[in-house]
């Protein structure tokens, strides 16, 4: 079974803080993704990575950055958290079959 | 462009059959996915259609018509635990990104 873990289920941060969300997978998948999910808007892609040290912007990259130093680990960084970044953040991995495997999600609240 | 449309909400009765429709536009086709997402949880894979027609998997079936840009998810013998959001999705032309619909929230009532 594919296992995708995220560093926190719930997180509360203050405006302006730097926030790190970490995702780890154990299936040796090349592709990893970070999404945010908001009511009525569905899943929106922030960044994705198809190899170590490779990253591509998704649909809403502003205010975020990512890091992939090892194949199994993909980190999402909020450089200076803002209240409009309050959301559910989901990490996912995929092999060449396109099927995505999701982590449990991190519900981030920025106050 | 690449776009997915599906109804926002549906309600059905326990034991009944429900069909959730999805229409999509894409310049290159790499298959059509359905995912299930219970409230507060991550999406999980339900089905993947590449060819036209109906694929059945237990109580769930998924249909695809590539010429019409249309798919549906059919849930039979509905159970209360089927109350969830159902997401229609397809990989983009390059295959690296998956485009998700906003999801259909299904409420199953007794």
């Amino acid at each position: 079974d594919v296992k995708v873990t995220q560093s926190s289920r719930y997180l509360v941060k203050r405006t302006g803080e730097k926030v790190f969300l970490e995702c780890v997978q154990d299936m040796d998948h090349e592709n990893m993704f970070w999404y945010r999910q908001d009511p009525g808007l569905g899943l929106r892609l922030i960044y994705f990575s198809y190899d170590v040290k490779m990253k591509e912007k998704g649909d809403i990259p502003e205010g975020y950055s990512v890091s992939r130093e090892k194949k199994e680990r993909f980190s999402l960084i909020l450089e200076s958290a803002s209240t409009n970044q309050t959301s559910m953040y989901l990490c996912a991995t995929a092999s060449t079959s396109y099927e995505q495997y999701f982590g449990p999600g991190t519900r981030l609240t920025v106050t | 462009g690449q776009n997915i449309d599906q109804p926002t909400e549906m309600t059905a009765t326990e034991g009944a059959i429900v069909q959730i429709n999805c229409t999509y536009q894409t310049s290159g086709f790499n298959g059509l996915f359905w995912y299930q997402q219970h409230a507060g949880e991550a999406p999980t894979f339900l089905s993947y259609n590449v060819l036209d027609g109906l694929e059945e998997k237990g109580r769930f079936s998924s249909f695809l018509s590539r010429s019409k840009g249309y798919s549906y998810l059919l849930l039979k013998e509905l159970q209360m635990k089927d109350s969830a959001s159902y997401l229609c999705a397809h990989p983009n032309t390059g295959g690296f990104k998956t485009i998700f619909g906003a999801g259909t929230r299904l409420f199953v009532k007794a």
Side-chain angles (χ1 to χ4, degrees):
Chain A
D1 272 356
V2 176
K3 193 164 185 184
V4 183
T5 58
Q6 295 183 225
S7 46
S8 307
R9 288 301 302 269
Y10 300 94
L11 208 53
V12 180
K13 295 291 181 181
R14 293 193 181 275
T15 302
E17 278 192 86
K18 191 168 186 176
V19 181
F20 293 87
L21 303 181
E22 197 161 69
C23 176
V24 179
Q25 53 114 347
D26 67 357
M27 282 302 292
D28 204 35
H29 284 171
E30 295 82 11
N31 304 319
M32 296 187 76
F33 307 82
W34 273 107
Y35 297 91
R36 62 177 285 176
Q37 187 174 34
D38 302 287
L41 296 178
L43 283 163
R44 292 183 291 167
L45 182 65
I46 304 171
Y47 267 97
F48 67 101
S49 167
Y50 52 89
D51 203 352
V52 176
K53 297 194 186 293
M54 305 302 288
K55 59 186 178 184
E56 293 283 342
K57 292 180 180 178
D59 301 315
I60 51 163
E62 297 78 21
Y64 303 94
S65 62
V66 290
S67 172
R68 193 159 179 209
E69 296 296 317
K70 294 184 178 181
K71 190 174 186 179
E72 67 271 18
R73 197 177 296 265
F74 192 35
S75 301
L76 179 70
I77 303 149
L78 285 67
E79 298 291 343
S80 176
S82 63
T83 54
N84 64 12
Q85 291 179 310
T86 291
S87 186
M88 169 70 91
Y89 290 88
L90 287 160
C91 173
T93 75
S95 66
T96 53
S97 66
Y98 304 138
E99 179 185 339
Q100 302 218 345
Y101 300 85
F102 287 86
T106 296
R107 187 165 291 283
L108 173 67
T109 302
V110 183
T111 62
Chain B
Q2 301 185 86
N3 198 20
I4 294 180
D5 289 309
Q6 51 183 131
T8 305
E9 285 185 4
M10 299 182 71
T11 301
T13 305
E14 195 175 16
I17 299 173
V18 70
Q19 177 175 313
I20 303 174
N21 296 323
C22 168
T23 57
Y24 64 89
Q25 297 171 348
T26 179
S27 52
F29 185 75
N30 286 306
L32 195 291
F33 284 92
W34 284 96
Y35 289 84
Q36 180 189 57
Q37 185 177 24
H38 285 100
E41 298 181 13
T44 55
F45 169 81
L46 280 179
S47 67
Y48 178 46
N49 293 65
V50 178
L51 301 176
D52 290 351
L54 187 69
E55 298 228 356
E56 299 187 64
K57 194 187 292 185
R59 294 190 299 115
F60 292 9
S61 303
S62 54
F63 171 85
L64 176 67
S65 169
R66 288 173 294 173
S67 62
K68 295 180 180 177
Y70 169 68
S71 174
Y72 67 72
L73 182 68
L74 193 71
L75 291 75
K76 303 176 189 174
E77 301 169 17
L78 278 173
Q79 301 176 9
M80 300 298 285
K81 67 178 182 179
D82 297 329
S83 293
S85 287
Y86 292 86
L87 311 178
C88 177
H90 67 78
N92 74 339
T93 305
F96 287 124
K97 290 169 58 175
T98 294
I99 312 299
F100 285 87
T104 298
R105 289 183 67 190
L106 174 66
F107 299 94
V108 180
K109 58 183 183 178

